[in-house]
Amino acid sequence: MGTLWVNGNIYTLNKPGEMMRAMFVEHGRILKMGEEGHLRRTYAGRIEEIVNLEGKSVYPAFTDSHIHLVGYGEALDRVDASEATNLRELLETMKQQGSDDDWVVAEGFDDRLLGEMPTRDMIDEVISDRPVVLKRVCRHVAVVNSKGLERLGLIHHTVIEGGKLGRDDEGKLNGVLYDAALDLLYKELSGNRKKNAASLRRAIDSLFAHGIVGAHTEDLFYHGDPLETIQAYEDVLGEMPFQAHLLVHEQVVDRVIQHDAMTKRKRFDFGAMKLFVDGSFGGRTALLSAPYADDRGQRGIEVHRPDHLEALVKKARTYGMNVAAHVIGDAAVEQFVSLLEKYPAKKGTRDRIIHASLLNDSLIKRIKSLPVLIDAQPVFLSDDLDMLFERLGNERVHDVYRFKSLLDTGALLLGGSDAPISSVDVRKGLFGAVARQSFKGSSTLNPSERLSMYEALRSFTYSPHVATGTHGRNGLLIQSYNANFTVWDEDFFTLQGEDILHNRLAMTVVEGKPVYEAEVVTS
């Protein structure tokens, strides 16, 4: 017995413009699509329920192709500093916040909104008896107080390879940590099986409410023993209908492989070895071929020495793994592309270029010859447009987030959010991809790099499943595919500009069963 869904604009995303009015779902799969009358007659004796979609629009359910699931769940339970404009008020809020953590943590501050970069002295003035950390929105920079420096064992002469410690005018540590220096924080704030499971449940509930039923995620380094984190995934995905694809951080890959922990499970599997080549634009640690426009003395940070980076790629190949690299600046992309050219991926597989934020024509051409997927975050463009002009200048900024050029290379383009760094709201990702404007209002940046709405939607629906080899039953709404879909009040294909951001999600459905409802759809 099954459910007949009728009176909808059901987009298959199998090809542009293909739309059906009704579909019959049984045992979690789409048996047939077409006109309501024909389906009523064909399945007359098997229709248990009829759902009237009331003219709403239906799309395949979304997959976030770049997220930190456990970290996102943690952030939902911590102080949100993303809109803070007054540092002292933020710190007073933190002081009152109860937490299971020994540390007092705030997620996602923006020094541009605060008007200054916090320092340990500023934090000490309000909270001096407990270790405190403020994580910058990019999560490549954080600030700790004096108690935090003490807990991390950081002293004046400490040197961090692949990272940096901020200093004041007298050369003393000012509490600001950059890139690899944050690894010390991850060890301090690491979770356990129970805590990570709670964070996963919190994250997945939130994702369902955004139409997201799957994710490509990277969690196995930041939250304690990676084997316990895998156990947390087993606990949660044994009871929640969510699909996950886990990248494996280079610092834990040996342990995970030695314990034969990468066996595919029912609702999650494992992917490429993840590594970092550089940092972020916001922290001026993305590795550029020319200096930052607003700090001519900076070109960014190399997280690894070139010989070490090469050794990591060789290690992945020894393990028979693909490589996924965080590369934002053009110099970082060039380093990684050169290594992929030198150590090609196994035939029939793809390496993952994460972010690929700043690309000249030469790099685009080289990417075209590689078997890669591009792990892109269109929301970043809209989040950071004003800042990008400051960091890169008016000319170079036109080479950022070249979505259309990357798609035209033949590379597989995936849409993601990098949450908790940015919002999981897919509407924001679609807006960034098709409008290429700031959320605050702006002209269109490099209009030739805009995606069509069809291309943008596919990057969040079908392409993520192609990347993981799960596209035989997922990512489209066609006969025999899993009935995983979202129902929206308005049609994304008819919406322009900011109207995209206001479309309301009515329902998220997994295998024919609602996992989120904004309101009851009458039958």
Side-chain angles (χ1 to χ4, degrees):
M1 302 296 285
T3 301
L4 181 62
W5 300 76
V6 302
N7 191 24
N9 301 315
I10 305 171
Y11 287 96
T12 69
L13 294 192
N14 190 38
K15 56 186 177 182
E18 186 171 81
M19 188 263 286
M20 304 293 178
R21 297 290 292 168
M23 63 181 169
F24 181 66
V25 173
E26 190 175 57
H27 303 307
R29 287 191 178 172
I30 300 169
L31 261 62
K32 193 79 172 176
M33 304 183 71
E35 292 302 317
E36 178 183 343
H38 176 68
L39 295 182
R40 278 180 181 268
R41 291 189 297 272
T42 302
Y43 298 102
R46 293 160 62 180
I47 298 173
E48 183 177 30
E49 181 183 12
I50 298 175
V51 178
N52 182 1
L53 291 163
E54 300 178 331
K56 293 181 172 66
S57 294
V58 180
Y59 310 90
F62 298 130
T63 294
D64 190 313
S65 295
H66 188 95
I67 193 171
H68 303 272
L69 267 181
V70 177
Y72 176 57
E74 287 181 342
L76 291 172
D77 199 38
R78 289 174 173 165
V79 174
D80 178 6
S82 60
E83 297 183 5
T85 57
N86 182 292
L87 178 59
R88 190 169 191 92
E89 289 179 2
L90 171 61
L91 292 170
E92 290 289 354
T93 298
M94 294 174 67
K95 190 174 182 179
Q96 303 303 317
Q97 180 81 0
S99 172
D100 292 335
D101 294 324
D102 177 29
W103 285 66
V104 185
V105 184
E107 299 273 355
F109 82 87
D110 187 340
D111 47 296
R112 297 167 73 247
L113 291 179
L114 291 175
E116 59 187 343
M117 175 61 78
T119 65
R120 69 164 176 170
D121 290 339
M122 296 177 189
I123 302 173
D124 286 345
E125 288 180 10
V126 181
I127 310 173
S128 60
D129 60 332
R130 294 179 64 189
V132 174
V133 57
L134 307 179
K135 296 183 182 180
R136 193 184 182 279
V137 60
C138 63
R139 269 68 172 188
H140 286 263
V141 179
V143 188
V144 299
N145 62 353
S146 296
K147 184 69 74 171
L149 285 175
E150 179 184 322
R151 285 285 293 274
L152 296 175
L154 295 174
I155 58 175
H156 176 70
H157 297 293
T158 304
V159 175
I160 305 289
E161 183 176 349
K164 186 172 71 172
L165 300 177
R167 299 179 185 276
D168 60 23
D169 293 339
E170 297 178 1
K172 297 178 180 178
L173 297 183
N174 65 3
V176 186
L177 315 178
Y178 298 87
D179 287 287
L182 272 66
D183 290 356
L184 298 169
L185 267 178
Y186 300 140
K187 294 176 182 177
E188 273 287 315
L189 297 174
S190 62
N192 52 45
R193 180 174 179 173
K194 182 178 179 181
K195 181 179 176 183
N196 292 340
S199 294
L200 283 172
R201 290 187 183 94
R202 195 180 301 118
I204 292 170
D205 280 338
S206 173
L207 294 178
F208 283 158
H210 287 88
I212 299 166
V213 305
H216 301 179
T217 180
E218 200 256 297
D219 305 290
L220 300 183
F221 169 62
Y222 312 100
H223 306 288
D225 186 336
L227 303 182
E228 281 201 38
T229 304
I230 293 170
Q231 289 173 334
Y233 269 92
E234 292 175 340
D235 295 342
V236 174
L237 299 189
E239 61 190 48
M240 300 184 81
F242 189 90
Q243 295 288 332
H245 178 72
L246 278 63
L247 303 184
V248 185
H249 195 287
E250 52 93 2
Q251 291 197 44
V252 300
V253 68
D254 294 332
R255 177 165 170 75
V256 171
I257 287 177
Q258 286 164 7
H259 284 78
D260 196 25
M262 290 177 60
T263 305
K264 183 177 179 179
R265 274 68 161 186
K266 180 182 178 181
R267 289 201 176 104
F268 70 97
D269 62 3
F270 297 84
M273 186 183 86
K274 165 74 178 292
L275 55 86
F276 286 81
V277 179
D278 67 344
S280 71
F281 287 134
R284 297 188 188 84
T285 56
L287 190 62
L288 308 183
S289 58
Y292 281 86
D294 56 354
D295 188 344
R296 305 303 296 180
Q298 293 290 337
R299 287 179 52 187
I301 285 179
E302 285 186 334
V303 174
H304 301 285
R305 300 188 315 270
D307 60 329
H308 188 207
L309 186 63
E310 182 171 1
L312 287 173
V313 174
K314 290 170 69 175
K315 174 193 274 194
R317 299 302 191 225
T318 299
Y319 281 139
M321 297 178 72
N322 290 107
V323 188
H326 167 113
V327 285
I328 287 185
D330 56 342
V333 178
E334 200 282 330
Q335 281 190 14
F336 186 51
V337 165
S338 295
L339 289 171
L340 296 186
E341 292 168 340
K342 187 173 182 179
Y343 303 100
K346 183 180 177 181
K347 188 175 181 179
T349 70
R350 300 174 190 252
D351 294 307
R352 180 182 291 243
I353 302 178
I354 301 173
H355 307 311
S357 305
L358 182 63
L359 299 169
N360 56 39
D361 289 342
S362 175
L363 287 172
I364 292 281
K365 185 176 180 180
R366 290 170 69 183
I367 287 171
K368 187 174 183 178
S369 66
L370 292 171
V372 294
L373 56 87
I374 307 298
D375 184 335
Q377 295 70 45
V379 65
F380 283 5
L381 184 150
S382 299
D383 275 340
D384 298 335
L385 193 53
D386 294 341
M387 180 266 291
L388 291 172
F389 275 95
E390 294 173 10
R391 296 288 188 270
L392 301 175
N394 292 341
E395 294 300 321
R396 202 167 22 166
V397 76
H398 289 278
D399 281 340
V400 296
Y401 303 120
R402 299 182 64 179
F403 305 132
K404 185 64 173 178
S405 292
L406 285 166
L407 188 66
D408 289 346
T409 66
L412 189 64
L413 185 68
L414 311 182
S417 67
D418 208 0
I421 289 172
S422 194
S423 170
V424 299
D425 190 338
V426 179
R427 297 173 301 180
K428 293 184 175 182
L430 296 175
F431 175 84
V434 305
R436 292 184 65 83
Q437 297 172 355
S438 167
F439 293 130
K440 301 173 184 176
S442 71
S443 59
T444 300
L445 177 67
N446 200 352
S448 65
E449 294 293 348
R450 294 194 302 195
L451 297 182
S452 69
M453 181 57 75
Y454 175 76
E455 291 165 339
L457 283 167
R458 291 258 297 194
S459 76
F460 284 98
T461 54
Y462 184 60
S463 294
H465 288 289
V466 176
T468 58
T470 55
H471 55 300
R473 297 284 186 188
N474 297 287
L476 301 174
L477 295 181
I478 59 177
Q479 186 173 324
S480 82
Y481 270 52
N482 290 327
N484 301 336
F485 55 89
T486 56
V487 181
W488 296 80
D489 281 355
E490 305 293 334
D491 186 344
F492 280 116
F493 287 105
T494 67
L495 299 176
Q496 301 288 328
E498 291 185 3
D499 288 343
I500 295 168
L501 302 172
H502 303 305
N503 198 0
R504 192 183 70 97
L505 176 66
M507 182 183 291
T508 304
V509 176
V510 177
E511 296 178 359
K513 304 296 182 183
V515 294
Y516 167 80
E517 292 184 78
E519 63 180 22
V520 176
V521 177
T522 57
S523 59

